[in-house]
Amino acid sequence: MEIDTGAHRGTKRKADESNLSSQTPKRIKPLDEDVVNKIAAGEIIVAPVHALKELIENSVDAGSTSIEIVVKDGGLKLLQITDNGHGINRDDLAILCERFTTSKLKEFEDLTSIGTYGFRGEALASISHIAHLTVTTKTVDSSCAWRAHYSSGKLAPAKPGQSAEPKATAGRGGTQITVEDLFYNVPTRRRAFRSASEEYAKILDVVGRYAVHRTGVAFSCKKHGESNMGISTPSNATTVDRIRQIHGSAVANELIEFGVSDDKWGFKASGWTSNANYSVKRTMLLLFINHRAVESSAIKKAIEQTYSTFLPKGGHPFTYLTLDIDPQRVDVNVHPTKREVNFLNEDEIIESICNEIRVKLAKVDTSRTFMTQSLLPGARVSLASGTSTRENGTSTAIDNDRRTSRRPLTAQKPYENNLVRTDSKMRKITSMLQPDQPPPTSDNTATDPHPEDMDYQYSDREPIHCRLTSVKELRAEVRSAMHNELTEVFASHTFVGIVDERRRIAAIQAGVKLFLVDYGMVSNEYFYQLGLTDFGNFGSIRFEPPLSINHLLDVAVAHEQNTTNASDTSASAASAPPFDWTEVTPLVTRQLLERRDMLKEYFSLDIDADGMLHGIPLLVKGYMPSLAKLPRFLMRLGPYIDWTNEKACFKTFLTELASFYVPEQLPPPAPSPSTHLPKPTSRVDLNNDLAPPSTNTNTDESPAILPTASETHNQNQTQPAGENEARRIQLHRTLENILFPAFRARLVATKGLLKGVVEVANLKGLYRVFERC
């Protein structure tokens, strides 16, 4: 058996035993010029699109009005650009492709006021080190064109054995630069490109950006050997026309122009951006700073944040922005490919631009365009074909972005306790109940579910963008009191039906849960929030002829006095000094007249100098509040509004306005003749059964029904049963078709609404109950 007698691992050995020769530090040597040029070329020309960008900028600097581009294999095989600029002198061709040779810069100080695209003189030099470069050029005073070939920054013969000097040839005015076999001597870089089509798409993107920006210059780009143009824009096309030709009519039809400048920060910005009707999956930003195509993540994020309040979730805008900044405030020499620049006061300039875009969007955001599809009665949508039938009978493809989600056919069948049945075309539970027939009346309009024929007229009044700090603070209070889960319930609910009209209770379904909600309380909160959202932009319900404020207040005072006298029967009330009700009407009238200009401007409450009421605010189109509550609403504007503080004034007024708009409580429906109820002994008994309660329980959540002017002489007299039934039908239609859809779309459920929402059934819980049986 052999035993290794060598030194154990970890044993310290001498230097001579380790067979390691002493190493001396390597000497520093200058790199070969060819290696230096190839390294520099790799930093500047990363891909064919960067080479083309440099060539386009050179053509624009030469004063060209027409630029033609031909590409083969994504620019790796051939990249040719032809312009009609002023050309290159024959004597300058010898040093054209040497590094740091330029006609645009003489001293370093010139960088502070540079106005051209190029300035370093490295583009053509870099291209000549990694490709075969050919230049054909002709100036105005030259009798012929000159063609020169370059390799490694120097003139090279076209074929071996020929002279390297430029040769005379036929040609038109301008310059044609041909780049062939890009990266032929850098095989690792050439193999890194995955596909020619991907590189061609990048080239079209760059050409499209300059084609949009450089008005007055015609651009064309196509693949070698093909007649179809990838991009083609005439020189006389406007900016919007260029956007339409390159990016499509969908965005061009939704563009708005903006512009802003500030001498303090030394900039001027202008451009075109999409409105709220257009959105894409990714932000499209065409950014030019001092006419140079650059990228800026700060500007892009700021624009996206500006649009976040206007576009739906996942939507992004299209923006073309040209920014002219004082050259002394811009540093263009911060990136090898000039893709980024630095400039002073970046945050202030970006904020000014975004504020201008926000103002423009607010001015035009008065209408939205939505894709709609109507189905013929009985038509069914085929899941396989993915098409829908419109009313005119034509079949159109369904937009993938707006298509309702469908469960895959191969998906596992869900459990029954997770099923949600909310299809509006399916039968509802209310259809299974036999409706009560209203008593016949002589007036046919009494039972009309649409008793009011409201004529809507649209004014040319510009929408007001509210900048009041008090209103913004009130909106913030609503947002801070938001209850997320309850808001989600209302945002996804389905209306089931009215449960109790007297107590104002309705049933809604959210997911697999059934809720009872106090729609009086919910309506009060919704109308208050609507008043804050549309502050200063209310519509108006006009009265023809106008109503007398004094007469309406007298009605309210008489009703309030009778109610107070009927309820104050205690000894303390009897000993209290009598209240002078005659002072209420003139006092409230004087307060309203003194502030009628403010009421009309902010709340559309139109009162003239003679005390005549011409209009009240219109909060929701298609819904008319009960005008029986109008007298008490006007009376409460006196003592219940804090006129001394702006924020408190707006809050209390909107609270009273919301209470006025809340749907009123209705008496129980009249029993149908078919029901087995005791027959009333007299007409008076029947009317008393239908009458609302005599006690006044008016609060913000449950406003009382006030009598009309003709009813003040007898508080016990009620409306005819036919009118009650007509109002009941109208309210049912309004709640189902107007108010509850509005809750679903815009309501921010606050924590105070928790006491008005009760969960009464849960499908999963019911299944657990039945499983025990």
Side-chain angles (χ1 to χ4, degrees):
M1 182 175 61
E2 297 182 358
I3 299 176
D4 186 8
T5 58
H8 298 286
R9 295 183 64 181
T11 303
K12 187 176 180 180
R13 293 173 293 182
K14 296 181 180 180
D16 54 352
E17 295 178 357
S18 62
N19 297 324
L20 296 176
S21 59
S22 58
Q23 297 181 357
T24 59
K26 295 182 178 181
R27 300 295 300 276
I28 298 177
K29 297 180 181 180
L31 289 176
D32 184 72
E33 184 176 356
D34 182 65
V35 177
V36 173
N37 292 327
K38 287 183 179 180
I39 292 176
E43 294 178 350
I44 298 174
I45 310 300
V46 181
V49 64
H50 298 104
L52 179 64
K53 178 177 179 292
E54 298 287 348
L55 297 178
I56 291 177
E57 292 176 349
N58 287 342
S59 297
V60 174
D61 285 340
S64 305
T65 59
S66 176
I67 299 177
E68 303 172 3
I69 301 167
V70 179
V71 180
K72 184 177 181 181
D73 290 345
L76 295 173
K77 191 67 176 178
L78 173 67
L79 194 62
Q80 185 180 82
I81 180 169
T82 305
D83 64 58
N84 61 348
H86 52 63
I88 305 172
N89 290 324
R90 194 265 182 211
D91 297 337
D92 295 336
L93 292 176
I95 61 172
L96 177 65
C97 290
E98 292 184 5
R99 293 187 67 192
F100 308 119
T101 56
T102 179
S103 61
K104 305 159 188 174
L105 189 67
K106 294 182 180 180
E107 299 177 353
F108 180 78
E109 288 74 14
D110 294 340
L111 277 175
T112 59
S113 60
I114 191 70
T116 58
Y117 288 112
F119 54 86
R120 287 195 293 244
E122 289 186 291
L124 291 177
S126 299
I127 295 174
S128 67
H129 282 280
I130 55 177
H132 300 126
L133 182 64
T134 302
V135 178
T136 303
T137 183
K138 179 181 182 299
T139 58
V140 177
D141 55 356
S142 176
S143 59
C144 63
W146 296 92
R147 176 174 297 168
H149 301 269
Y150 296 89
S151 177
S152 299
K154 299 178 181 179
L155 287 171
K159 295 181 180 179
Q162 295 182 355
S163 173
E165 292 297 318
K167 295 180 176 56
T169 183
R172 62 183 184 180
T175 304
Q176 181 184 80
I177 298 179
T178 304
V179 180
E180 297 176 291
D181 300 326
L182 192 61
F183 300 115
Y184 75 95
N185 54 356
V186 190
T188 55
R189 177 68 62 85
R190 189 179 180 92
R191 288 194 298 266
F193 299 106
R194 292 178 291 183
S195 65
S197 59
E198 183 178 348
E199 298 304 318
Y200 182 65
K202 296 179 181 179
I203 288 175
L204 289 180
D205 179 69
V206 170
V207 176
R209 290 173 181 266
Y210 281 96
V212 170
H213 179 68
R214 298 302 308 189
T215 54
V217 180
F219 283 84
S220 67
C221 181
K222 68 174 184 177
K223 291 184 179 180
H224 181 265
E226 295 186 3
S227 58
N228 295 332
M229 292 288 182
I231 288 179
S232 179
T233 57
S235 59
N236 58 352
T238 62
T239 301
V240 176
D241 292 336
R242 291 169 181 262
I243 295 177
R244 177 177 288 105
Q245 293 173 1
I246 297 172
H247 299 280
S249 299
V251 59
N253 294 335
E254 306 292 346
L255 291 178
I256 55 176
E257 188 176 10
F258 65 92
V260 61
S261 61
D262 194 332
D263 295 336
K264 179 181 179 180
W265 310 121
F267 81 97
K268 178 181 180 182
S270 61
W272 295 82
T273 188
S274 57
N275 58 24
N277 289 330
Y278 178 84
S279 64
V280 288
K281 295 182 180 179
R282 293 191 303 175
T283 300
M284 187 62 182
L285 176 61
L286 309 183
L287 176 60
F288 288 82
I289 298 181
N290 288 355
H291 305 285
R292 188 184 305 277
V294 296
E295 297 178 1
S296 173
S297 59
I299 296 179
K300 185 176 181 180
K301 290 180 181 178
I303 292 178
E304 290 177 344
Q305 186 176 3
T306 301
Y307 272 88
S308 62
T309 57
F310 295 91
L311 297 181
K313 183 179 180 181
H316 298 277
F318 171 93
T319 302
Y320 160 62
L321 171 62
T322 173
L323 187 58
D324 294 329
I325 307 177
D326 186 358
Q328 296 183 355
R329 295 172 174 260
V330 182
D331 186 2
V332 297
N333 191 26
V334 297
H335 197 275
T337 62
K338 309 185 189 77
R339 188 178 63 183
E340 298 177 0
V341 297
N342 290 339
F343 53 93
L344 299 178
N345 307 113
E346 180 178 6
D347 294 338
E348 290 81 0
I349 293 177
I350 293 176
E351 183 179 359
S352 300
I353 295 173
C354 291
N355 288 337
E356 177 66 16
I357 294 177
R358 189 179 296 108
V359 171
K360 292 292 184 181
L361 289 175
K363 289 182 178 180
V364 301
D365 191 27
T366 57
S367 66
R368 293 288 181 92
T369 301
F370 297 96
M371 300 295 295
T372 60
Q373 292 181 338
S374 301
L375 294 178
L376 289 173
R380 302 183 68 180
V381 180
S382 174
L383 295 180
S385 61
T387 59
S388 65
T389 306
R390 293 182 182 266
E391 293 181 356
N392 57 10
T394 59
S395 179
T396 57
I398 298 177
D399 188 358
N400 292 331
D401 294 338
R402 302 181 184 272
R403 185 182 304 171
T404 57
S405 59
R406 303 190 182 105
R407 188 176 300 278
L409 297 179
T410 58
Q412 185 179 3
K413 184 179 179 180
Y415 292 105
E416 289 81 356
N417 60 345
N418 290 327
L419 290 177
V420 181
R421 182 176 180 267
T422 58
D423 191 350
S424 60
K425 294 188 290 295
M426 301 177 68
R427 189 178 182 185
K428 295 184 179 181
I429 191 172
T430 53
S431 64
M432 305 177 186
L433 306 177
Q434 183 178 2
D436 293 331
Q437 297 296 332
T441 58
S442 59
D443 187 3
N444 295 331
T445 62
T447 58
D448 184 11
H450 307 281
E452 76 282 0
D453 293 330
M454 300 182 65
D455 184 17
Y456 291 95
Q457 297 180 356
Y458 298 90
S459 64
D460 297 332
R461 177 186 175 187
E462 293 292 333
I464 300 174
H465 183 64
C466 182
R467 301 179 182 274
L468 297 176
T469 305
S470 56
V471 177
K472 293 182 178 180
E473 291 176 354
L474 292 175
R475 294 173 180 174
E477 291 178 1
V478 174
R479 290 192 296 268
S480 62
M482 174 181 175
H483 192 278
N484 295 328
E485 295 182 4
L486 191 57
T487 302
E488 182 62 26
V489 168
F490 280 101
S492 60
H493 84 272
T494 300
F495 180 78
V496 176
I498 304 297
V499 177
D500 191 336
E501 298 161 342
R502 192 182 187 91
R503 299 169 61 187
R504 292 182 298 192
I505 297 177
I508 63 172
Q509 177 184 346
V512 294
K513 298 180 179 181
L514 183 67
F515 297 90
L516 292 182
V517 298
D518 182 349
Y519 64 80
M521 182 186 299
V522 177
S523 300
N524 186 80
E525 179 64 28
Y526 170 74
F527 287 122
Y528 174 74
Q529 296 178 11
L530 194 62
L532 289 176
T533 304
D534 298 342
F535 189 89
N537 296 296
F538 299 116
S540 179
I541 300 176
R542 310 298 296 178
F543 295 117
E544 294 293 342
L547 307 178
S548 172
I549 292 290
N550 288 328
H551 179 66
L552 293 173
L553 290 176
D554 289 339
V555 173
V557 169
H559 175 76
E560 192 73 17
Q561 185 177 4
N562 293 337
T563 304
T564 304
N565 294 336
S567 59
D568 291 346
T569 58
S570 61
S572 59
S575 61
F579 181 76
D580 189 2
W581 290 96
T582 59
E583 298 180 357
V584 175
T585 297
L587 180 61
V588 176
T589 302
R590 183 172 65 254
Q591 290 179 335
L592 295 179
L593 291 179
E594 290 176 354
R595 299 167 177 85
R596 61 189 183 90
D597 292 335
M598 183 269 290
L599 294 175
K600 182 178 181 180
E601 178 182 0
Y602 289 155
F603 305 107
S604 298
L605 187 63
D606 190 2
I607 303 174
D608 62 15
D610 297 330
M612 303 300 292
L613 179 64
H614 291 265
I616 59 176
L618 173 64
L619 297 186
V620 178
K621 182 180 178 181
Y623 170 59
M624 170 71 76
S626 175
L627 295 182
K629 296 158 55 176
L630 180 60
R632 195 166 195 272
F633 165 67
L634 295 175
M635 185 192 68
R636 289 177 64 89
L637 294 183
Y640 290 94
I641 305 299
D642 186 354
W643 300 104
T644 60
N645 181 270
E646 179 181 297
K647 179 179 177 180
C649 174
F650 293 159
K651 182 176 182 178
T652 51
F653 186 93
L654 293 178
T655 301
E656 294 299 327
L657 180 62
S659 179
F660 168 63
Y661 259 84
V662 170
E664 69 275 17
Q665 294 171 306
L666 293 177
S672 61
S674 60
T675 56
H676 302 284
L677 294 177
K679 185 176 181 180
T681 57
S682 65
R683 178 178 177 85
V684 177
D685 295 337
L686 177 62
N687 286 337
N688 288 335
D689 291 338
L690 294 175
S694 59
T695 58
N696 180 17
T697 58
N698 181 56
T699 62
D700 291 344
E701 291 79 11
S702 57
I705 304 176
L706 293 183
T708 59
S710 62
E711 299 169 336
T712 55
H713 67 280
N714 189 357
Q715 292 296 325
N716 294 327
Q717 182 180 357
T718 61
Q719 295 181 353
E723 296 183 8
N724 286 334
E725 292 302 323
R727 180 60 178 174
R728 177 176 289 105
I729 296 175
Q730 177 190 352
L731 272 183
H732 280 209
R733 177 179 57 85
T734 301
L735 288 170
E736 181 176 0
N737 301 323
I738 298 178
L739 292 186
F740 272 89
F743 299 161
R744 180 186 179 101
R746 301 185 62 175
L747 177 65
V748 176
T750 57
K751 299 175 183 178
L753 294 181
L754 289 174
K755 59 183 179 180
V757 180
V758 178
E759 178 184 336
V760 294
N762 187 330
L763 187 59
K764 296 182 179 180
L766 293 177
Y767 264 81
R768 286 195 293 267
V769 172
F770 285 107
E771 285 174 356
R772 299 190 186 103
C773 300

